[in-house]
Amino acid sequence: MTEFQNQIQKIFVDETSLKLPLSQKILKKLNSIPVQVVKNEEEVIKRYLALKDSIGEGKKSLWLKSLKGDFVKPCPCTPYYLGCNYYIMNTDLNCPMDCSYCILQHYLDNPLMIIHVNTDDLWEQLDKFLFKQRNRFIRIGTGELGDSLALDPITERSKELIAYFRGKKRVNFELKTKSLNIDNIMSEEPSENIITAWSLNTELMAEKEEKGAPPVRDRIEAAFEVQNRGFRVAFHFDPLILYPGWEKGYEAVIKRLFSRIDPSRIAWISLGSLRFPKQLKSLIRKRFPSTKIIYQEMIKGIDGKLRYFKPLRIKLYQKIVKAIHSYGNEKVPLYFCMESKEIWKKVLNKEPGSKEEVEAFLSLLPGFESTIK
Amino acid sequence: MQNMKFTQINIDQIDTADKRFQISPYFSVDSLIPSIKKSGLLNPPVLTKREQKYIIVSGWRRITACQKLSVPLIPVFVMPGESDLEAFKIPVYENLSIREYSQIEKAAVIRKFYDFGEEPENIIKKYMSLLKIPPKREVMEVYLNIDGLKENIKKTAHQKNWSLGMLEIMTELAPEEAQAFYPFMEPLSLNKQKQLIENLFDISRKQDVSVQNLLNSGELLRIQDDKGLNPFQKAEKIYMLSKKLKNPTFNTWRKAFEELSQSLDLPEDMKVIPSKFFEGDTITIKLDIKNQEELKKHIRKLKELSERKEISLLFNPFSHD
């Protein structure tokens, strides 16, 4: 288990959310940590923003609050590139791990780790959302603006989510993590539509660029256990990073992955290369002065984000796909996160016409054939 | 203006060496002199007294213009003996009501508030928002560092209106590194200055060498030593080389595309343009057409081109990688 709760030094609770069951559960579990009841949200945020490393400091504090807006949103993806029609659930925001490349450093205005505790609203909103979308497949997950399992030992959210989604055959629900916190999942009965996914990188990149995250081999072991329990698993090679020795590094991880994981139980593997808005670059320089990953050959993509020059991306993806095909097999569904149709064609020899087609391809249960050309 | 005393004083009584409240030394009085000549000083500067001497709180430009015109007596407001922190708020707000601050001036304002003892939390909450700066501690630290840059760099940055991003990189360089850029900055346009700073910074960090060592080696050094080049030509060449060194693969492909399009022997008024950074999968053919005859001529040329084998490489310049 990865005990991120040990790094929490302070808990904030919104006055209006104090009595909610999830707040009470968390406060009971973390009863030795000082608690402050929040009446003025802005004051707390301003206080953190006035700290020298507000992002780093925010990772030591937990904020229990109610989400006033929508829990379920379409994944923002990126303009001009091909999306996958994924939906995100903003149950928790931010993450106790501190990856140098993390977009959340730039994306979130509030540096604290937030747990949205108004669970009743979540179920109500999910019911309405799934009813509206009842005629299509849905891929939905909690790991976009936070890690799905990092704080699961204190929230036990995964158990409730698994219970909610179990049996909803048109919905593939994904928990996405870098952590090893699988105890709650292991205690649940498996279901084909519940997928636990791990973000993977090379061991070297994990050690250098993913501060606080467990080694990749341990993540693969956690996936092995979850798969043995009867769940399907997924993997995200994102961000793929170019560095001297990347070819051997990724090959080693893929080799290890398929030495432990049954390819037929992999729901999908996504590939995405390092990309970030330009504004994040200076933040990375300051927070991670020894990193070199931001100095590789990058161009400004059509979406305005910095990304590797296309031939470099193609080479990177081709090597990874070749390794997956060689150590695993060619049936594992692969897809790109935020890439062009041209890359799909050149690397995977697939031509999805739209994000709906990508979604349909990834929503297939084992044994079905893809409709993508 | 309450508690301020309006009076006239002899301009020689002002200690202009004390610049504690000065936000920017980079001003010109040329446009103000004719106005003072015609109508006198209509807007009195604000002074205060420190150790029996009058010092300027606000009105550096006006006082400098009057000095140039040898105006003996000038109207002024004299502030009571407020703290430096309180007095400094006068020029900050006054200037804000008139114009936008440059990044260098913003840095000076933040530095002075900090040095006058204002709490960092107050600087962030009150003044950074006022200066249209994101109210974050990390950003405040950047501005404090910007104020510490060497004077010649600050002057160029103010005059050329450098962005925060450019200045941020300068603060992350060792002072000698920042200085090493300087000779190549002046002749370049703002956009090229920005790219040169970013390119050389990234290359030096990737290769783990200082910017001066980078500039003092290989082709970059040869350009500097080339006696046949003037400073502008040197700066341009160094800028172009920095682009190549920063993006070698892109540069190779750009060159390959250029060679391919040249081999097509196109008329001068027909151009083949790749997508930006080759990121898209289309090419653009640009035609300059004056009349119907030219249109027909171009259509014939396009038809001929469409039959040629080389044209397919333009659509897929990476295929022979």
Side-chain angles (χ1 to χ4, degrees):
Chain A
M1 192 157 78
T2 329
E3 294 188 333
F4 295 110
Q5 59 268 38
N6 294 342
Q7 76 187 52
I8 299 168
Q9 294 174 0
K10 175 123 190 167
I11 301 175
F12 295 89
V13 196
D14 277 6
E15 198 178 24
T16 50
S17 305
L18 184 59
K19 296 270 162 58
L20 293 175
L22 185 53
S23 297
Q24 288 300 312
K25 185 205 273 185
I26 294 167
L27 292 173
K28 201 172 163 190
K29 284 197 178 208
L30 303 177
N31 58 9
S32 61
I33 298 170
V35 177
Q36 185 185 323
V37 177
V38 178
K39 290 180 182 164
N40 184 340
E41 289 194 4
E42 214 172 296
E43 276 304 307
V44 177
I45 296 171
K46 277 187 179 171
R47 198 195 313 164
Y48 271 79
L49 293 180
L51 298 171
K52 272 201 171 172
D53 176 18
S54 57
I55 295 166
E57 291 300 320
K59 291 178 185 294
K60 297 175 192 163
S61 305
L62 199 59
W63 193 343
L64 312 180
K65 68 203 306 265
S66 296
L67 179 64
K68 294 188 180 93
D70 296 334
F71 273 97
V72 182
K73 288 181 177 170
C75 183
C77 196
T78 200
Y80 309 108
Y81 292 90
L82 186 61
C84 64
N85 233 10
Y86 194 75
Y87 279 89
I88 58 174
M89 285 164 61
N90 295 329
T91 48
D92 306 332
L93 303 181
N94 222 327
C95 170
M97 288 167 262
D98 202 3
C99 302
S100 63
Y101 52 74
C102 182
I103 180 70
L104 299 182
Q105 299 173 95
H106 167 74
Y107 193 78
L108 298 175
D109 296 332
N110 185 337
L112 282 83
M113 292 191 291
I114 293 171
I115 295 177
H116 289 131
V117 288
N118 50 332
T119 324
D120 286 347
D121 295 338
L122 168 67
W123 308 132
E124 194 186 320
Q125 287 184 25
L126 270 173
D127 285 344
K128 282 183 185 164
F129 168 76
L130 293 177
F131 180 74
K132 263 190 191 170
Q133 310 283 347
R134 61 189 175 282
N135 294 323
R136 54 170 282 202
F137 278 113
I138 292 283
R139 286 169 65 244
I140 189 168
T142 54
E144 196 66 23
L145 300 182
D147 185 286
S148 299
L149 298 177
L151 299 173
D152 201 49
I154 57 168
T155 64
E156 298 176 356
R157 179 105 71 187
S158 65
K159 289 164 83 83
E160 288 183 288
L161 287 166
I162 291 171
Y164 179 86
F165 284 107
R166 177 181 292 119
K168 292 188 167 53
K169 287 182 181 165
R170 286 187 173 274
V171 183
N172 276 321
F173 170 64
E174 182 183 34
L175 292 153
K176 204 189 297 181
T177 189
K178 285 192 183 95
S179 82
L180 312 176
N181 295 336
I182 55 170
D183 288 358
N184 290 327
I185 295 175
M186 296 297 279
S187 70
E188 293 296 311
E189 280 305 308
S191 175
E192 281 295 282
N193 69 326
I194 309 293
I195 294 141
T196 314
W198 275 265
S199 296
L200 299 181
N201 220 308
T202 65
E203 289 291 2
L204 184 68
M205 284 300 102
E207 191 190 320
K208 282 188 156 185
E209 308 295 339
E210 297 177 346
K211 195 173 142 195
V216 175
R217 59 184 165 282
D218 293 351
R219 296 179 215 174
I220 293 173
E221 283 312 302
F224 172 72
E225 284 184 44
V226 169
Q227 181 204 253
N228 271 2
R229 178 76 180 90
F231 288 97
R232 287 200 294 158
V233 291
F235 300 96
H236 298 278
F237 282 97
D238 196 353
L240 289 163
I241 297 170
L242 289 172
Y243 66 92
W246 65 268
E247 285 156 300
K248 281 189 177 166
Y250 284 111
E251 188 178 351
V253 172
I254 292 164
K255 190 176 173 187
R256 178 184 284 273
L257 176 69
F258 287 105
S259 73
R260 300 296 279 160
I261 304 294
D262 173 3
S264 71
R265 300 299 294 155
I266 297 177
W268 50 72
I269 294 179
S270 79
L271 309 175
S273 59
L274 181 66
R275 62 210 173 274
F276 48 83
K278 203 173 177 195
Q279 302 93 308
L280 183 60
K281 193 171 174 180
S282 61
L283 196 58
I284 296 174
R285 276 202 318 262
K286 259 183 225 86
R287 296 200 65 238
F288 303 94
S290 63
T291 189
K292 296 223 175 292
I293 63 171
I294 52 175
Y295 303 123
Q296 295 300 325
E297 184 169 355
M298 292 182 126
I299 52 98
K300 203 174 181 182
I302 309 171
D303 56 355
K305 286 180 190 159
L306 295 176
R307 50 177 70 216
Y308 297 134
F309 182 44
K310 192 162 69 183
L312 300 176
R313 300 210 302 281
I314 291 175
K315 188 178 169 193
L316 176 62
Y317 293 139
Q318 282 172 336
K319 290 271 179 191
I320 302 290
V321 170
K322 193 177 165 197
I324 291 172
H325 287 171
S326 126
Y327 292 106
N329 65 38
E330 296 192 12
K331 287 184 180 165
V332 178
L334 301 179
Y335 74 100
F336 290 111
C337 185
M338 301 185 196
E339 271 299 354
S340 63
K341 290 180 184 178
E342 185 192 356
I343 299 262
W344 273 82
K345 171 78 181 147
K346 283 187 172 150
V347 180
L348 296 178
N349 200 25
K350 284 191 165 62
E351 293 183 81
S354 65
K355 60 183 181 179
E356 286 77 17
E357 276 190 37
V358 178
E359 178 194 54
F361 160 61
L362 295 172
S363 300
L364 286 175
L365 289 171
F368 288 85
E369 287 297 320
S370 160
T371 52
I372 297 180
K373 275 191 283 177
Chain B
M1 290 290 172
Q2 53 183 200
N3 300 328
M4 283 202 199
K5 197 177 125 195
F6 179 70
T7 184
Q8 281 211 322
I9 66 163
N10 190 310
I11 202 161
D12 295 337
Q13 285 178 271
I14 302 169
D15 178 9
T16 51
D18 192 326
K19 294 179 165 48
R20 75 182 78 182
F21 299 121
Q22 188 180 59
I23 292 169
S24 173
Y26 320 113
F27 56 81
S28 160
V29 295
D30 296 349
S31 60
L32 188 58
I33 284 179
S35 155
I36 294 176
K37 265 187 187 168
K38 184 167 189 298
S39 320
L41 190 56
L42 299 174
N43 181 15
V46 180
L47 309 181
T48 190
K49 262 191 161 177
R50 294 287 186 271
E51 291 157 9
Q52 304 306 312
K53 286 178 184 165
Y54 286 108
I55 64 167
I56 302 171
V57 175
S58 165
W60 279 92
R61 201 166 154 252
R62 284 161 277 170
I63 290 168
T64 309
C66 289
Q67 278 177 326
K68 286 205 169 179
L69 291 169
S70 303
V71 178
L73 276 178
I74 59 165
V76 295
F77 286 109
V78 179
M79 278 184 77
E82 298 264 20
S83 67
D84 282 353
L85 178 58
E86 281 308 306
F88 185 54
K89 291 174 187 170
I90 300 279
V92 170
Y93 281 96
E94 189 184 12
N95 284 326
L96 265 175
S97 68
I98 301 166
R99 63 188 173 85
E100 290 268 324
Y101 283 121
S102 72
Q103 300 293 354
I104 294 296
E105 289 170 325
K106 287 179 185 180
V109 170
I110 290 171
R111 165 56 68 190
K112 283 180 192 289
F113 271 128
Y114 190 81
D115 289 350
F116 291 147
E118 183 62 286
E119 288 295 325
E121 206 163 320
N122 271 345
I123 297 175
I124 295 163
K125 281 185 194 168
K126 277 167 76 176
Y127 300 110
M128 285 174 60
S129 307
L130 202 67
L131 296 166
K132 296 177 189 159
I133 297 172
K136 291 183 179 179
R137 176 69 181 239
E138 296 98 282
V139 184
M140 185 186 94
E141 302 283 338
V142 171
Y143 276 96
L144 289 174
N145 291 334
I146 289 171
D147 192 64
L149 288 170
K150 288 210 169 178
E151 207 47 49
N152 56 353
I153 295 170
K154 285 202 286 185
K155 190 176 176 186
T156 306
H158 172 81
Q159 287 168 343
K160 294 253 182 179
N161 212 6
W162 281 10
S163 65
L164 178 61
M166 292 167 77
L167 286 159
E168 213 172 350
I169 291 180
M170 292 309 256
T171 65
E172 289 169 39
L173 296 162
E176 323 73 76
E177 283 187 294
Q179 210 56 36
F181 273 112
Y182 194 70
F184 315 110
M185 301 300 285
E186 283 267 24
L188 295 175
S189 67
L190 178 63
N191 195 34
K192 286 180 178 174
Q193 286 181 346
K194 182 172 180 279
Q195 283 189 40
L196 180 65
I197 291 175
E198 288 177 358
N199 292 347
L200 291 184
F201 182 90
D202 283 6
I203 300 161
S204 76
R205 280 2 183 208
K206 186 180 170 185
Q207 295 180 2
D208 253 334
V209 295
S210 68
V211 171
Q212 347 41 320
N213 284 350
L214 187 68
L215 283 164
N216 286 331
S217 62
E219 186 61 21
L220 286 164
L221 181 64
R222 273 193 288 280
I223 294 170
Q224 294 169 76
D225 287 346
D226 189 337
K227 292 196 170 72
L229 299 173
N230 64 33
F232 174 79
Q233 290 167 323
K234 283 183 185 178
E236 276 291 326
K237 277 191 171 263
I238 282 182
Y239 160 73
M240 291 305 293
L241 183 57
S242 79
K243 278 175 60 169
K244 282 187 201 170
L245 295 171
K246 172 81 197 339
N247 293 314
T249 322
F250 168 71
N251 194 59
T252 308
W253 284 105
R254 190 183 52 79
K255 223 170 139 187
F257 187 93
E258 271 172 22
E259 282 168 10
L260 273 171
S261 59
Q262 274 167 18
S263 72
L264 295 172
D265 200 21
L266 299 173
E268 268 187 24
D269 43 10
M270 187 183 282
K271 281 196 175 61
V272 187
I273 305 160
S275 62
K276 200 170 180 191
F277 296 116
F278 297 97
E279 193 61 14
D281 54 0
T282 56
I283 58 166
T284 303
I285 297 180
K286 185 173 173 280
L287 309 172
D288 289 333
I289 303 163
K290 283 187 198 134
N291 51 45
Q292 198 175 6
E293 267 319 295
E294 280 196 5
L295 178 62
K296 283 179 186 169
K297 188 185 83 185
H298 281 309
I299 289 171
R300 280 196 298 275
K301 182 72 188 174
L302 283 172
K303 201 160 176 253
E304 179 205 317
L305 274 174
S306 69
E307 304 298 327
R308 288 177 62 179
K309 210 178 163 188
E310 305 96 291
I311 200 89
S312 66
L313 288 173
L314 287 175
F315 287 103
N316 196 0
F318 311 117
S319 60
H320 57 286
D321 184 15

